[in-house]
Amino acid sequence: MDLYYQHSTDKSYKMLLSLFFISSILTSRCDALAKNLTESCPCDMKYVDEVLVWDCDKKNLHEVPRQCWADNSYTISQVLLSNNFITEIHVDDFVGLGSLKELMLNNNNITSVAAGAFKPLAGLNTLDLYHNNIAQLPDDVFEGLVNLESLWVSHNLLQTIPDISFVTNAKAISFSNNNIDTFPKHLLDAPSFPLTFSLQNNLATEIQASAILNLPDYSTLYIDAITVWAADAQEAEALRAKSWFGTELDGLIQIAAQADCPSHFHDVLGVCVLVEPFFSGDWGTMSYFCREMGAEMLKVADANFFQQLLHLLRSEGLDHHDYWLGGNDTAEEGSWKWADGTPIERGSPFWATQPQGPESFLIEPLGGTSENCLYLDKSRFLYFDDGVCTEAKNVICQQH
């Protein structure tokens, strides 16, 4: 019995020694690996809000420390590279970060980003390149980042915007405070959600309506006070119908001249309009002038058209003249008609008003039998008025 007990004790002791030896080796190797990782990676791995984060903020870095995630051993959700001195982003800098959700590269000295640098980050939802020195980005630099929700590229030196058409899940995109002198004709395909889109403080003086028309209702758009060119009347109306926040667009929208309008005519909601601010004459003379120009005196039968006409006159500095229009009541007093025989709509929003006191007014036409020809009255903000047909005024014509 004693011999059996001693044999068992010796056996247990040897097993314990073996386990202790193996444990010492494993611990030593793990400590060595951790030490090597710490020595090679200048960043801190943290567990924040239940996700793993590589915190490389303010580490005096001059390049991306890709050695930190080269072995792809961890599921990293966030990499903070803000507030360093990084100058270049290379094509392999983010290999091994396939699970990454947020990449913060703001406040560095980045001047170049290699094509394909962000391709390993298909699940990325936030990319921050704010406040760097990037003058040019490859057109496909964001290719594959279909899950992006926030893209910040403001406060750089960008001259053009790369392709972002596929970023349909975005909730915030900013290219403000750059040197962009031309906006693409098309920016976003069909965003799924209302978003904040910032393009202000750039060099561009115009933008095509097609570039922004796909923004959903209740989005917020920030642009400078630049011309927004609509291709036609329908596109202009579609813009005005949008329920957007941010920059007020109504006074910025203009309809691009159509190819079938002569060069000296303006396209106003699909009507080719000639404004003659120099030559003036009585109503009959100016009617003849329009015919000589292959046109006729203007008919204004639509409130939207009237507002666009007034916008044209004011924006082009042509609002300091009286202009004959193609209407009169010479055939029958009080029966105002256009040249084609259709009746001229009375009242607001066309005709000028005549104040009669602090709280009352009369609406033109008020001239009686002596004033039978229709014109835009410069003294009444270019609203309709009736005038003496023999007076000299300028004219607005429209192409047949």
Side-chain angles (χ1 to χ4, degrees), residues 306 310 314 319 352 376-384:
F306 186 40
L310 295 181
R314 290 164 183 161
D319 54 343
L376 298 181
D377 189 343
K378 67 180 180 183
S379 68
R380 316 279 278 286
F381 305 103
L382 294 175
Y383 286 98
F384 288 8

Side-chain angles (χ1 to χ4, degrees), residues 125-129 142 148-153 164 167 172-175:
N125 58 41
T126 299
L127 176 57
D128 192 347
L129 291 162
F142 302 127
L148 270 184
E149 296 181 4
S150 298
L151 176 61
W152 307 98
V153 202
I164 57 171
V167 186
I173 297 176
S174 179
F175 283 91

Side-chain angles (χ1 to χ4, degrees), residues 55-339:
D55 185 358
C56 309
D57 183 47
K58 296 179 182 177
K59 297 294 185 180
N60 197 33
L61 301 175
H62 289 260
E63 59 183 17
V64 174
R66 53 184 178 272
Q67 69 272 19
C68 295
W69 43 82
D71 60 357
N72 195 20
S73 301
Y74 303 95
T75 302
I76 303 297
S77 294
Q78 189 179 58
V79 172
L80 308 178
L81 288 161
S82 312
N83 303 297
N84 284 291
F85 302 95
I86 298 169
T87 57
E88 295 181 63
I89 303 298
H90 303 97
V91 69
D92 57 348
D93 277 347
F94 304 114
V95 173
L97 290 171
S99 60
L100 196 67
K101 300 299 181 185
E102 296 184 23
L103 177 58
M104 314 301 287
L105 288 161
N106 54 297
N107 296 302
N108 277 281
N109 294 326
I110 299 171
T111 58
S112 67
V113 178
F118 302 124
K119 273 192 174 181
L121 311 178
L124 199 67
N125 58 41
T126 299
L127 176 57
D128 192 347
L129 291 162
Y130 168 87
H131 211 290
N132 280 283
N133 295 311
I134 305 170
Q136 190 73 34
L137 284 170
D139 192 55
D140 61 350
V141 68
F142 302 127
E143 183 180 351
L145 302 184
V146 296
N147 295 303
L148 270 184
E149 296 181 4
S150 298
L151 176 61
W152 307 98
V153 202
S154 53
H155 289 271
N156 276 278
L157 305 172
L158 278 180
Q159 298 175 1
T160 58
I161 295 179
D163 183 15
I164 57 171
S165 59
F166 47 82
V167 186
T168 57
N169 292 315
K171 297 177 182 176
I173 297 176
S174 179
F175 283 91
S176 62
N177 297 91
N178 277 282
N179 293 331
I180 300 166
D181 55 10
T182 303
F183 291 121
K185 291 183 178 180
H186 183 77
L187 283 169
L188 296 169
D189 280 343
S192 304
F193 313 100
L195 70 148
T196 299
F197 199 14
S198 302
L199 298 170
Q200 76 272 30
N201 296 325
N202 278 288
L203 303 180
T205 59
E206 60 185 14
I207 188 171
Q208 300 296 318
S210 58
I212 56 177
L213 196 54
N214 283 341
L215 294 182
D217 282 341
Y218 310 112
S219 293
T220 301
L221 173 66
Y222 293 112
I223 61 173
D224 298 312
I226 60 178
T227 301
V228 180
W229 288 107
D232 51 36
Q234 289 73 25
E235 194 169 69
E237 288 306 303
L239 271 181
R240 292 191 177 89
K242 287 289 188 178
S243 298
W244 289 341
F245 304 102
T247 304
E248 175 58 52
L249 294 184
D250 194 48
L252 306 178
I253 299 171
Q254 293 194 37
I255 298 177
Q258 302 298 309
D260 54 353
C261 281
S263 59
H264 49 290
F265 282 72
H266 299 272
D267 185 284
V268 180
L269 295 186
V271 178
C272 295
V273 171
L274 171 66
V275 181
E276 176 48 58
F278 303 111
F279 179 59
S280 62
D282 59 43
W283 192 90
T285 299
M286 300 315 289
S287 178
Y288 176 77
F289 170 84
C290 287
R291 291 195 298 273
E292 288 294 298
M293 298 299 295
E296 61 191 4
M297 296 177 86
L298 182 65
K299 174 183 177 179
V300 181
D302 178 80
N304 288 333
F305 176 85
F306 186 40
Q307 291 304 312
Q308 282 300 301
L309 176 67
L310 295 181
H311 176 69
L312 168 68
L313 296 174
R314 290 164 183 161
S315 64
E316 297 290 331
L318 299 169
D319 54 343
H320 304 299
H321 306 274
D322 293 330
Y323 294 101
W324 288 123
L325 299 178
N328 62 72
D329 70 342
T330 54
E332 181 183 351
E333 175 58 33
S335 179
W336 286 87
K337 294 183 178 181
W338 298 107

Side-chain angles (χ1 to χ4, degrees), residues 352-396:
T353 58
Q354 179 69 49
Q356 295 297 299
E359 297 182 0
S360 63
F361 57 87
L362 298 174
I363 299 179
E364 298 287 354
L366 301 170
T369 57
S370 62
E371 299 181 355
N372 299 311
C373 289
L374 181 65
Y375 75 102
L376 298 181
D377 189 343
K378 67 180 180 183
S379 68
R380 316 279 278 286
F381 305 103
L382 294 175
Y383 286 98
F384 288 8
D385 201 353
D386 53 342
V388 177
C389 297
T390 55
E391 290 180 347
K393 302 184 189 299
N394 300 99
V395 72
I396 302 178

